[in-house]
Amino acid sequence: MQQTYPHLFSPLKLGTIELPNRIIMAPLTRARSGEDHIPTDLMAEHYAQRASGGLIIAEATMAMEGCSAFWKEPGIYSEAQIAGWKKVTDAVHAKGGRIVLQIWHGGRACHPALNNGKQPVAPSAIAIKDEVHTPQGKQPYTVPHALTLAEIPGIIEGFKQAAINAKAAGFDGVEVHGANGYLLDQFLRESSNQRTDTYGGSIENRARLLLEVLTAVCEVWGSDRVGLRISPVNSFNSMKDGDPLALSRWLSEKLNDYNLAYLHVMRSDFFGEQKEDVLSVCEEFYQGNLIANMGYSAEEAEAAIANGDVEAVAFGVSYLANPDLPERFKAGAALNDPDPDTFYTEGPQGYTDYPFMEK
Protein backbone atom coordinates (compact mmCIF):
# COMPACT_ATOMS: atom_id res chain seq x y z
CA MET A 1 0.00 0.00 0.00
CA GLN A 2 1.45 3.36 -1.02
CA GLN A 3 2.39 5.62 1.90
CA THR A 4 2.62 9.37 2.03
CA TYR A 5 5.38 10.93 4.06
CA PRO A 6 5.23 14.52 2.83
CA HIS A 7 7.85 15.85 5.25
CA LEU A 8 10.28 12.95 4.88
CA PHE A 9 10.14 13.34 1.10
CA SER A 10 10.40 17.12 1.05
CA PRO A 11 13.60 18.81 -0.18
CA LEU A 12 16.17 20.13 2.28
CA LYS A 13 19.26 22.29 2.09
CA LEU A 14 22.09 21.27 4.41
CA GLY A 15 24.37 24.29 4.16
CA THR A 16 24.96 24.42 0.41
CA ILE A 17 24.17 20.71 -0.17
CA GLU A 18 20.71 20.40 -1.72
CA LEU A 19 18.80 17.20 -0.92
CA PRO A 20 15.66 15.95 -2.72
CA ASN A 21 14.46 14.17 0.43
CA ARG A 22 15.35 13.84 4.10
CA ILE A 23 16.26 10.16 4.17
CA ILE A 24 19.96 9.98 5.04
CA MET A 25 22.15 6.90 4.78
CA ALA A 26 24.08 6.71 8.06
CA PRO A 27 27.81 5.89 7.96
CA LEU A 28 28.23 2.11 8.16
CA THR A 29 31.62 0.41 8.48
CA ARG A 30 31.62 -2.66 6.20
CA ALA A 31 35.34 -3.58 6.02
CA ARG A 32 35.32 -4.16 2.24
CA SER A 33 38.47 -2.18 1.38
CA GLY A 34 41.09 -4.87 1.82
CA GLU A 35 44.29 -4.62 3.81
CA ASP A 36 45.59 -1.66 1.79
CA HIS A 37 42.55 0.45 2.78
CA ILE A 38 41.84 1.35 -0.86
CA PRO A 39 38.14 1.69 -1.81
CA THR A 40 37.07 -0.90 -4.38
CA ASP A 41 34.76 -1.18 -7.38
CA LEU A 42 32.46 -3.26 -5.16
CA MET A 43 32.16 -0.29 -2.80
CA ALA A 44 31.30 1.96 -5.72
CA GLU A 45 28.49 -0.42 -6.68
CA HIS A 46 27.24 -0.59 -3.08
CA TYR A 47 26.99 3.16 -2.64
CA ALA A 48 25.57 3.78 -6.13
CA GLN A 49 22.78 1.30 -5.34
CA ARG A 50 21.75 3.57 -2.46
CA ALA A 51 21.94 6.92 -4.26
CA SER A 52 18.20 7.69 -4.15
CA GLY A 53 18.37 8.88 -0.55
CA GLY A 54 18.77 12.55 0.25
CA LEU A 55 22.40 12.08 1.28
CA ILE A 56 24.87 9.23 1.73
CA ILE A 57 27.33 9.60 4.60
CA ALA A 58 30.15 7.24 3.64
CA GLU A 59 31.69 4.99 6.27
CA ALA A 60 34.33 5.90 8.85
CA THR A 61 37.50 6.52 6.87
CA MET A 62 41.06 6.74 8.18
CA ALA A 63 42.12 10.38 8.10
CA MET A 64 45.78 9.42 8.38
CA GLU A 65 48.01 6.39 8.19
CA GLY A 66 48.40 4.17 11.24
CA CYS A 67 44.93 4.61 12.78
CA SER A 68 43.21 1.42 11.62
CA ALA A 69 40.63 0.02 14.04
CA PHE A 70 38.73 -2.40 11.77
CA TRP A 71 41.51 -4.08 9.72
CA LYS A 72 39.95 -3.51 6.29
CA GLU A 73 38.29 -0.11 6.55
CA PRO A 74 39.03 2.55 3.89
CA GLY A 75 41.50 5.42 4.16
CA ILE A 76 41.83 8.83 2.50
CA TYR A 77 45.56 9.54 3.05
CA SER A 78 47.10 8.12 -0.16
CA GLU A 79 46.75 8.86 -3.87
CA ALA A 80 45.48 5.32 -4.48
CA GLN A 81 42.77 5.79 -1.86
CA ILE A 82 41.75 9.13 -3.35
CA ALA A 83 41.47 7.44 -6.76
CA GLY A 84 39.44 4.60 -5.26
CA TRP A 85 37.02 7.01 -3.62
CA LYS A 86 36.76 8.98 -6.88
CA LYS A 87 35.24 5.88 -8.47
CA VAL A 88 32.70 5.80 -5.63
CA THR A 89 31.72 9.46 -5.87
CA ASP A 90 31.51 9.27 -9.67
CA ALA A 91 29.20 6.25 -9.42
CA VAL A 92 26.94 7.94 -6.86
CA HIS A 93 26.80 11.20 -8.81
CA ALA A 94 26.00 9.29 -12.02
CA LYS A 95 22.88 7.98 -10.25
CA GLY A 96 21.94 11.51 -9.17
CA GLY A 97 23.05 11.08 -5.56
CA ARG A 98 25.01 13.15 -3.06
CA ILE A 99 27.75 11.75 -0.81
CA VAL A 100 29.94 13.09 2.00
CA LEU A 101 32.90 11.35 3.59
CA GLN A 102 33.13 10.65 7.32
CA ILE A 103 36.73 11.37 8.34
CA TRP A 104 37.92 9.57 11.43
CA HIS A 105 40.72 8.51 13.75
CA GLY A 106 40.23 5.39 15.87
CA GLY A 107 42.36 6.56 18.79
CA ARG A 108 42.63 3.87 21.45
CA ALA A 109 40.32 1.61 19.38
CA CYS A 110 43.27 1.05 17.05
CA HIS A 111 45.55 -1.93 17.68
CA PRO A 112 49.26 -2.59 16.99
CA ALA A 113 48.34 -5.74 15.01
CA LEU A 114 46.43 -3.55 12.55
CA ASN A 115 49.07 -0.80 12.32
CA ASN A 116 52.47 -2.43 11.80
CA GLY A 117 53.07 -2.66 15.55
CA LYS A 118 52.34 1.01 16.22
CA GLN A 119 50.96 1.77 19.68
CA PRO A 120 47.56 3.50 19.54
CA VAL A 121 47.11 7.06 20.81
CA ALA A 122 44.42 8.55 23.01
CA PRO A 123 43.83 11.42 25.45
CA SER A 124 44.88 9.20 28.37
CA ALA A 125 46.64 5.85 28.82
CA ILE A 126 43.41 3.89 29.44
CA ALA A 127 42.58 0.79 27.38
CA ILE A 128 39.17 -0.27 26.08
CA LYS A 129 37.86 -3.25 28.06
CA ASP A 130 37.11 -5.52 25.13
CA GLU A 131 38.70 -7.41 22.24
CA VAL A 132 39.30 -6.47 18.61
CA HIS A 133 39.43 -8.57 15.43
CA THR A 134 42.96 -8.74 13.98
CA PRO A 135 44.65 -10.87 11.30
CA GLN A 136 45.81 -13.08 14.21
CA GLY A 137 42.31 -13.47 15.64
CA LYS A 138 40.66 -11.63 18.51
CA GLN A 139 43.06 -9.77 20.79
CA PRO A 140 42.53 -7.53 23.83
CA TYR A 141 42.80 -3.80 23.22
CA THR A 142 46.16 -2.40 24.29
CA VAL A 143 46.96 0.52 26.56
CA PRO A 144 47.33 3.61 24.34
CA HIS A 145 49.97 6.30 24.42
CA ALA A 146 48.59 9.55 25.87
CA LEU A 147 49.07 12.24 23.23
CA THR A 148 51.44 15.00 24.28
CA LEU A 149 50.68 18.67 23.64
CA ALA A 150 53.40 18.62 20.98
CA GLU A 151 51.70 15.72 19.14
CA ILE A 152 48.18 17.14 19.01
CA PRO A 153 48.79 19.60 16.14
CA GLY A 154 49.75 16.62 13.97
CA ILE A 155 46.32 15.08 14.59
CA ILE A 156 44.60 18.33 13.57
CA GLU A 157 46.77 18.57 10.45
CA GLY A 158 45.92 14.95 9.60
CA PHE A 159 42.20 15.71 9.65
CA LYS A 160 42.77 18.83 7.55
CA GLN A 161 44.72 16.87 4.93
CA ALA A 162 41.95 14.24 4.91
CA ALA A 163 39.46 17.02 4.15
CA ILE A 164 41.67 18.23 1.28
CA ASN A 165 41.91 14.67 -0.05
CA ALA A 166 38.13 14.18 0.23
CA LYS A 167 37.64 17.24 -1.96
CA ALA A 168 40.07 15.79 -4.52
CA ALA A 169 38.07 12.53 -4.45
CA GLY A 170 34.91 14.35 -5.52
CA PHE A 171 32.84 14.26 -2.34
CA ASP A 172 30.10 16.84 -1.72
CA GLY A 173 31.37 17.52 1.80
CA VAL A 174 32.72 15.80 4.90
CA GLU A 175 31.42 14.65 8.25
CA VAL A 176 33.82 14.81 11.20
CA HIS A 177 33.45 11.65 13.32
CA GLY A 178 33.08 12.73 16.94
CA ALA A 179 31.15 9.65 18.10
CA ASN A 180 31.25 6.02 19.24
CA GLY A 181 34.34 6.08 21.40
CA TYR A 182 36.88 6.99 18.74
CA LEU A 183 39.59 9.61 19.14
CA LEU A 184 37.61 12.86 19.16
CA ASP A 185 34.89 11.30 21.32
CA GLN A 186 37.60 9.93 23.63
CA PHE A 187 38.67 13.50 24.31
CA LEU A 188 35.05 14.62 24.81
CA ARG A 189 34.05 12.14 27.50
CA GLU A 190 35.34 11.67 31.02
CA SER A 191 35.78 7.89 31.11
CA SER A 192 38.57 8.09 28.51
CA ASN A 193 39.89 11.61 29.17
CA GLN A 194 41.66 12.03 32.53
CA ARG A 195 43.99 14.80 31.38
CA THR A 196 44.85 17.76 33.60
CA ASP A 197 46.10 20.10 30.87
CA THR A 198 44.15 22.34 28.46
CA TYR A 199 42.60 19.26 26.78
CA GLY A 200 41.10 17.76 29.94
CA GLY A 201 38.89 18.55 32.91
CA SER A 202 36.14 21.00 31.95
CA ILE A 203 33.79 20.39 29.02
CA GLU A 204 35.41 23.32 27.26
CA ASN A 205 38.84 21.70 27.55
CA ARG A 206 37.62 18.24 26.58
CA ALA A 207 35.92 19.67 23.49
CA ARG A 208 39.00 21.66 22.46
CA LEU A 209 40.46 19.09 20.04
CA LEU A 210 37.10 18.47 18.36
CA LEU A 211 36.60 22.20 17.80
CA GLU A 212 40.16 22.64 16.54
CA VAL A 213 39.59 19.83 14.04
CA LEU A 214 36.28 21.38 12.94
CA THR A 215 37.96 24.74 12.43
CA ALA A 216 40.72 23.17 10.31
CA VAL A 217 38.26 21.17 8.20
CA CYS A 218 36.00 24.20 7.68
CA GLU A 219 39.02 26.10 6.35
CA VAL A 220 39.19 23.52 3.57
CA TRP A 221 35.52 23.11 2.71
CA GLY A 222 33.69 26.09 4.15
CA SER A 223 31.49 25.31 7.14
CA ASP A 224 28.40 24.87 4.92
CA ARG A 225 29.76 21.55 3.62
CA VAL A 226 30.94 20.17 6.97
CA GLY A 227 28.88 18.06 9.37
CA LEU A 228 29.63 16.55 12.77
CA ARG A 229 28.43 13.31 14.35
CA ILE A 230 28.23 12.87 18.12
CA SER A 231 26.97 10.12 20.47
CA PRO A 232 26.84 11.54 24.02
CA VAL A 233 25.22 8.44 25.58
CA ASN A 234 26.67 5.58 23.53
CA SER A 235 28.69 3.29 25.81
CA PHE A 236 30.38 1.43 22.92
CA ASN A 237 34.18 1.19 23.31
CA SER A 238 34.01 1.55 27.12
CA MET A 239 32.64 5.09 26.96
CA LYS A 240 30.73 7.00 29.61
CA ASP A 241 30.26 10.61 30.68
CA GLY A 242 29.15 11.83 34.09
CA ASP A 243 26.72 14.38 32.65
CA PRO A 244 25.84 13.74 28.99
CA LEU A 245 23.01 16.27 29.13
CA ALA A 246 25.40 19.06 30.12
CA LEU A 247 27.86 17.93 27.46
CA SER A 248 25.10 17.95 24.83
CA ARG A 249 23.92 21.41 25.82
CA TRP A 250 27.42 22.90 25.86
CA LEU A 251 28.25 21.43 22.46
CA SER A 252 24.91 22.46 20.93
CA GLU A 253 25.36 26.07 22.03
CA LYS A 254 29.02 26.22 21.04
CA LEU A 255 28.44 24.68 17.63
CA ASN A 256 26.00 27.46 16.78
CA ASP A 257 29.12 29.60 16.22
CA TYR A 258 30.31 27.31 13.40
CA ASN A 259 27.42 27.48 10.93
CA LEU A 260 27.88 23.81 10.03
CA ALA A 261 25.88 22.06 7.34
CA TYR A 262 24.44 19.84 10.08
CA LEU A 263 24.82 18.22 13.48
CA HIS A 264 24.21 14.44 13.41
CA VAL A 265 23.14 13.05 16.80
CA MET A 266 22.99 9.40 17.79
CA ARG A 267 20.15 9.53 20.27
CA SER A 268 20.73 6.32 22.21
CA ASP A 269 23.17 3.64 23.33
CA PHE A 270 24.06 0.53 21.33
CA PHE A 271 23.57 -1.49 24.52
CA GLY A 272 20.63 0.38 26.06
CA GLU A 273 22.59 1.22 29.19
CA GLN A 274 22.12 5.00 29.24
CA LYS A 275 18.69 6.59 28.91
CA GLU A 276 19.33 10.34 29.03
CA ASP A 277 17.40 12.19 26.32
CA VAL A 278 20.30 14.03 24.71
CA LEU A 279 18.43 14.56 21.46
CA SER A 280 15.85 16.81 23.12
CA VAL A 281 18.68 18.91 24.55
CA CYS A 282 20.21 19.29 21.09
CA GLU A 283 16.79 20.13 19.65
CA GLU A 284 16.39 22.89 22.22
CA PHE A 285 19.82 24.51 22.00
CA TYR A 286 21.19 23.78 18.52
CA GLN A 287 19.97 26.32 15.97
CA GLY A 288 21.22 24.66 12.77
CA ASN A 289 20.19 21.57 10.82
CA LEU A 290 19.78 18.55 13.10
CA ILE A 291 19.96 14.97 11.83
CA ALA A 292 18.75 12.29 14.24
CA ASN A 293 19.84 8.66 14.14
CA MET A 294 19.23 5.25 15.75
CA GLY A 295 16.14 3.08 15.54
CA TYR A 296 13.77 5.23 13.49
CA SER A 297 10.89 3.89 11.44
CA ALA A 298 9.58 5.90 8.50
CA GLU A 299 6.56 6.84 10.62
CA GLU A 300 8.62 8.16 13.53
CA ALA A 301 10.96 10.00 11.17
CA GLU A 302 8.01 11.68 9.43
CA ALA A 303 6.54 12.76 12.78
CA ALA A 304 9.87 14.11 14.06
CA ILE A 305 10.36 16.22 10.94
CA ALA A 306 6.71 17.34 10.84
CA ASN A 307 6.96 18.47 14.49
CA GLY A 308 10.05 20.52 13.69
CA ASP A 309 12.19 18.47 16.08
CA VAL A 310 14.79 17.56 13.45
CA GLU A 311 15.45 18.39 9.81
CA ALA A 312 16.31 14.84 8.65
CA VAL A 313 16.76 11.28 9.88
CA ALA A 314 19.69 8.93 9.21
CA PHE A 315 18.90 5.25 8.75
CA GLY A 316 21.60 2.64 9.36
CA VAL A 317 20.84 -1.08 9.39
CA SER A 318 17.61 -0.68 7.38
CA TYR A 319 19.58 1.12 4.63
CA LEU A 320 22.27 -1.54 4.77
CA ALA A 321 19.73 -4.23 3.82
CA ASN A 322 17.54 -2.12 1.51
CA PRO A 323 19.37 -0.32 -1.30
CA ASP A 324 16.04 1.17 -2.39
CA LEU A 325 14.95 2.22 1.10
CA PRO A 326 13.26 5.50 0.02
CA GLU A 327 11.27 3.70 -2.67
CA ARG A 328 10.19 1.03 -0.18
CA PHE A 329 9.07 3.69 2.30
CA LYS A 330 7.02 5.41 -0.39
CA ALA A 331 5.45 2.16 -1.61
CA GLY A 332 4.73 0.88 1.89
CA ALA A 333 6.69 -2.25 0.92
CA ALA A 334 8.19 -4.76 3.31
CA LEU A 335 11.88 -4.33 4.16
CA ASN A 336 14.63 -6.90 3.63
CA ASP A 337 16.03 -8.36 6.84
CA PRO A 338 19.73 -7.60 7.42
CA ASP A 339 22.21 -10.46 7.77
CA PRO A 340 24.58 -9.63 10.67
CA ASP A 341 26.88 -12.51 9.71
CA THR A 342 27.93 -10.57 6.59
CA PHE A 343 28.28 -7.09 8.09
CA TYR A 344 32.11 -7.25 8.10
CA THR A 345 32.92 -10.10 5.72
CA GLU A 346 34.48 -9.84 2.27
CA GLY A 347 32.78 -9.89 -1.10
CA PRO A 348 29.31 -9.06 -2.39
CA GLN A 349 27.29 -11.34 -0.12
CA GLY A 350 25.28 -9.22 2.30
CA TYR A 351 26.69 -6.12 0.63
CA THR A 352 25.58 -5.62 -2.96
CA ASP A 353 23.18 -8.59 -3.28
CA TYR A 354 20.25 -7.38 -1.17
CA PRO A 355 17.27 -7.43 -3.57
CA PHE A 356 15.52 -4.34 -4.85
CA MET A 357 11.72 -4.21 -4.87
CA GLU A 358 10.07 -5.96 -7.77
CA LYS A 359 8.70 -3.36 -10.14
Side-chain angles (χ1 to χ4, degrees):
M1 182 189 299
Q2 187 144 2
Q3 301 290 321
T4 55
Y5 299 112
H7 296 88
L8 194 56
F9 282 92
S10 64
L12 173 65
K13 201 169 181 183
L14 295 178
T16 51
I17 307 172
E18 296 188 7
L19 281 53
N21 62 63
R22 300 171 185 234
I23 299 166
I24 312 294
M25 180 177 169
L28 299 160
T29 293
R30 303 303 306 279
R32 281 342 194 255
S33 289
E35 295 180 31
D36 51 12
H37 307 291
I38 298 172
T40 61
D41 291 345
L42 188 67
M43 290 172 61
E45 180 185 356
H46 169 78
Y47 282 115
Q49 286 178 341
R50 289 155 178 79
S52 64
L55 179 68
I56 293 170
I57 305 172
E59 63 207 273
T61 297
M62 296 165 62
M64 57 204 82
E65 192 171 5
C67 65
S68 173
F70 286 101
W71 187 6
K72 295 180 180 180
E73 76 273 52
I76 190 67
Y77 53 84
S78 75
E79 290 299 325
Q81 291 162 356
I82 294 169
W85 275 121
K86 187 68 167 61
K87 292 182 181 179
V88 175
T89 61
D90 284 349
V92 170
H93 291 150
K95 289 288 187 71
R98 294 134 301 276
I99 182 168
V100 300
L101 183 66
Q102 188 186 65
I103 50 176
W104 160 84
H105 190 303
R108 67 178 185 170
C110 303
H111 193 280
L114 303 177
N115 296 286
N116 296 317
K118 180 182 175 183
Q119 184 183 16
V121 299
S124 302
I126 304 169
I128 295 172
K129 296 175 181 175
D130 201 352
E131 292 181 320
V132 60
H133 289 279
T134 77
Q136 292 79 43
K138 279 192 171 184
Q139 295 191 32
Y141 282 102
T142 58
V143 176
H145 160 68
L147 284 165
T148 66
L149 290 176
E151 292 169 323
I152 286 176
I155 298 293
I156 299 165
E157 184 58 34
F159 273 97
K160 184 173 185 177
Q161 186 61 52
I164 293 169
N165 294 349
K167 184 174 279 193
F171 285 94
D172 298 298
V174 292
E175 177 179 278
V176 173
H177 195 338
N180 294 349
Y182 299 113
L183 184 64
L184 299 181
D185 192 29
Q186 290 161 22
F187 271 84
L188 273 181
R189 292 200 268 170
E190 294 169 325
S191 63
S192 51
N193 185 345
Q194 314 258 312
R195 299 174 75 98
T196 56
D197 59 14
T198 53
Y199 288 89
S202 66
I203 294 176
E204 180 179 9
N205 282 354
R206 285 182 277 130
R208 190 179 305 278
L209 178 58
L210 171 63
L211 298 180
E212 289 174 339
V213 166
L214 277 177
T215 297
V217 170
C218 289
E219 287 174 1
V220 174
W221 276 95
S223 62
D224 53 8
R225 288 187 178 268
V226 176
L228 169 66
R229 195 184 206 205
I230 60 171
S231 61
V233 293
N234 194 1
S235 63
F236 184 64
N237 281 330
S238 302
M239 297 298 291
K240 190 173 178 62
D241 192 82
D243 195 345
L245 297 178
L247 177 61
S248 300
R249 175 172 179 171
W250 190 94
L251 277 176
S252 295
E253 293 182 321
K254 185 66 177 177
L255 290 170
N256 288 328
D257 298 338
Y258 285 74
N259 193 32
L260 297 175
Y262 63 83
L263 174 61
H264 182 185
V265 180
M266 300 175 71
R267 64 176 175 170
S268 52
D269 178 15
F270 283 167
F271 308 108
E273 293 181 8
Q274 293 194 0
K275 307 296 184 184
E276 293 93 337
D277 184 6
V278 293
L279 183 59
S280 291
V281 173
C282 297
E283 290 167 5
E284 181 177 356
F285 294 102
Y286 186 64
Q287 297 165 6
N289 293 313
L290 196 59
I291 299 174
N293 173 234
M294 294 188 82
Y296 280 84
S297 64
E299 291 77 14
E300 188 186 5
E302 169 70 18
I305 296 167
N307 292 340
D309 298 331
V310 301
E311 276 65 48
V313 172
F315 298 87
V317 174
S318 56
Y319 223 140
L320 177 156
N322 296 274
D324 53 353
L325 187 65
E327 289 79 6
R328 287 176 185 263
F329 283 165
K330 191 172 282 189
L335 300 183
N336 299 324
D337 291 325
D339 177 11
D341 290 340
T342 60
F343 281 1
Y344 307 109
T345 52
E346 297 184 60
Q349 184 180 359
Y351 190 60
T352 54
D353 65 350
Y354 283 107
F356 286 75
M357 277 193 307
E358 293 183 13
K359 301 296 183 186

